[in-house]
Amino acid sequence: MADLSSLVEAMRERSNALSELGYKVRFDLTDTGEAILLDATGGGVEVGEGSGEADAVLKLSTDTLDKLITGRIGPLMAFSTGRLKVEGSQGVALKLAGLLDQD
């Protein structure tokens, strides 16, 4: 199973695709209690550990997040099977899903 630092690094590697998002998204990891904050406001992308205000909060396990980042599961499949829960803006979550699906 991927650890928090490797998940953060994997997201940083995809920052070019995520730069179009224009919002803040927090990933709450349900199995570890940790969080990753993706800030795509201001024209760049910052990814780091920690909580904070976000336009959308995605609640999922580290395993599901790893599968999303690596493309082994699609965002809509994760959502429809209950592995991913969304709080806050559904539109921001859908935009993020579209950006993740581009690769």
Side-chain angles (χ1 to χ4, degrees):
M1 181 168 70
D3 64 352
L4 189 62
S5 60
S6 64
L7 290 170
V8 168
E9 189 55 39
M11 281 188 174
R12 286 184 180 141
E13 290 171 8
R14 305 215 34 196
S15 63
N16 285 344
L18 300 174
S19 63
E20 298 173 34
L21 184 63
Y23 295 96
K24 290 182 183 180
V25 177
R26 190 176 76 226
F27 299 85
D28 285 353
L29 304 174
T30 55
D31 53 337
T32 64
E34 298 171 303
I36 299 172
L37 186 64
L38 177 117
D39 184 351
T41 59
V45 176
E46 290 184 36
V47 180
E49 297 175 27
S51 58
E53 289 296 312
D55 299 291
V57 177
L58 308 182
K59 294 182 178 277
L60 68 173
S61 69
T62 52
D63 183 54
T64 300
L65 181 56
D66 182 47
K67 287 178 180 174
L68 281 171
I69 293 170
T70 57
R72 294 191 317 252
I73 187 173
L76 296 176
M77 175 61 80
F79 181 78
S80 64
T81 58
R83 291 184 238 178
L84 169 65
K85 294 182 175 37
V86 179
E87 293 180 359
S89 174
Q90 302 278 332
V92 171
L94 283 171
K95 187 171 181 180
L96 176 64
L99 294 172
L100 285 173
D101 269 348
Q102 285 181 2
D103 285 347

